[in-house]
Amino acid sequence: MFKEKKYLIQLYRAIHPEDTEATEEDLQDVTVSNVLVNDIYNDVGFRIGSTLLILIESQSTWTSNIIFRALMYLVQTYREYFKETKQDIYNSKKLRMPKPEIYVIYIGDRKTKPEEVSFSKEFFGGDEVCLDLKVKMIYDGKEGDIINQYVVFTKVCNEQVKIYGRTRKAIKETIRICKDRNVLKEYHYASCKGTNPTDYLTKQH
């Protein structure tokens, strides 16, 4: 969904509502993808000009390992940025890079919901170490924004799959319920046309 800029700009504005000037043209997709090799890839990565870099992961099962994976995604994204901007990391000139922000949208059930998780706290008991990475957690978004709609749709989809399996019935029920709730109508109703049910459910996750 967020490969399309009209949805990506909504995602950005949900995270940074104070920025009313950014447009779709300011956004660049930098999601790490490896089509031909079995290597790392992340969910969503995008840049706002040359000033801000945002990486977002979606998780339905709680794991501290997402912090380390986010670190790998960040390093890989910066490597590609330096290559794109023709910067040499071995040069004495200080590197220029956009400020990073890393988020995890968590859609699973969990009693404790920290606003932020950190590499040093999760893996080294909060001891001061030479490297730290802080990940901001998002659970529901704000009522009606695209993050909130994504979380609602995903939860409804998971519930219907538990009932009907990965079948056409699960898709129809998910769309029916989300239509009644006005959740991601434009995207999901267009994307499911002519799609194999199993492929559709796989694509959404």
Side-chain angles (χ1 to χ4, degrees):
M1 178 170 66
F2 297 117
K3 291 291 184 181
E4 298 184 40
K5 285 192 174 182
K6 63 180 178 180
Y7 300 113
L8 189 60
I9 189 67
Q10 293 181 52
L11 178 61
Y12 173 63
R13 287 173 178 163
I15 295 172
H16 282 283
E18 77 286 353
D19 186 355
T20 58
E21 298 182 358
T23 65
E24 292 180 16
E25 289 69 33
D26 296 320
L27 305 182
Q28 181 176 346
D29 178 18
V30 294
T31 304
V32 177
S33 59
N34 290 277
V35 178
L36 300 178
V37 295
N38 184 20
D39 206 342
I40 65 170
Y41 59 90
N42 63 330
D43 289 340
V44 179
F46 62 99
R47 205 169 67 229
I48 298 83
S50 59
T51 59
L52 186 61
L53 171 65
I54 295 178
L55 304 182
I56 302 176
E57 296 299 304
S58 176
Q59 292 286 300
S60 59
T61 303
W62 187 271
T63 172
S64 299
N65 296 337
I66 188 61
I67 308 172
F68 189 79
R69 296 204 300 268
L71 175 61
M72 293 195 299
Y73 304 149
L74 180 62
V75 171
Q76 180 61 25
T77 303
Y78 273 137
R79 288 181 62 188
E80 294 179 3
Y81 177 76
F82 296 144
K83 183 178 180 180
E84 175 190 335
T85 55
K86 295 180 172 57
Q87 297 187 73
D88 186 354
I89 62 173
Y90 297 103
N91 200 311
S92 60
K93 185 177 180 180
K94 183 187 293 185
L95 296 167
R96 294 174 288 103
M97 67 191 81
K99 183 177 70 173
E101 292 182 358
I102 300 177
Y103 299 86
V104 166
I105 300 174
Y106 183 69
I107 59 174
D109 296 323
R110 185 173 170 81
K111 293 182 179 179
T112 59
K113 295 184 176 180
E115 294 184 2
E116 184 179 81
V117 291
S118 78
F119 183 69
S120 65
K121 183 176 180 180
E122 290 294 323
F123 291 97
F124 303 105
D127 291 345
E128 184 175 340
V129 293
C130 64
L131 175 68
D132 197 7
L133 183 76
K134 296 180 180 179
V135 176
K136 297 178 181 179
M137 302 299 302
I138 300 174
Y139 298 96
D140 298 306
K142 294 183 179 180
E143 184 68 30
D145 72 14
I146 199 163
I147 295 176
N148 178 257
Q149 292 186 62
Y150 168 80
V151 171
V152 170
F153 181 90
T154 304
K155 288 183 177 180
V156 170
C157 187
N158 289 341
E159 290 169 357
Q160 298 309 305
V161 168
K162 287 180 180 178
I163 298 172
Y164 301 107
R166 292 182 175 272
T167 63
R168 185 176 298 275
K169 178 68 172 177
I171 293 175
K172 289 183 176 180
E173 285 301 299
T174 298
I175 291 176
R176 180 188 63 79
I177 294 169
C178 289
K179 182 179 180 180
D180 291 342
R181 298 184 186 180
N182 197 29
V183 173
L184 294 180
K185 286 200 301 186
E186 179 185 355
Y187 173 74
H188 288 292
Y189 305 158
S191 66
C192 72
K193 291 180 179 178
T195 303
N196 178 277
T198 302
D199 291 344
Y200 178 73
L201 286 169
T202 301
K203 179 171 64 174
Q204 302 317 310
H205 295 274

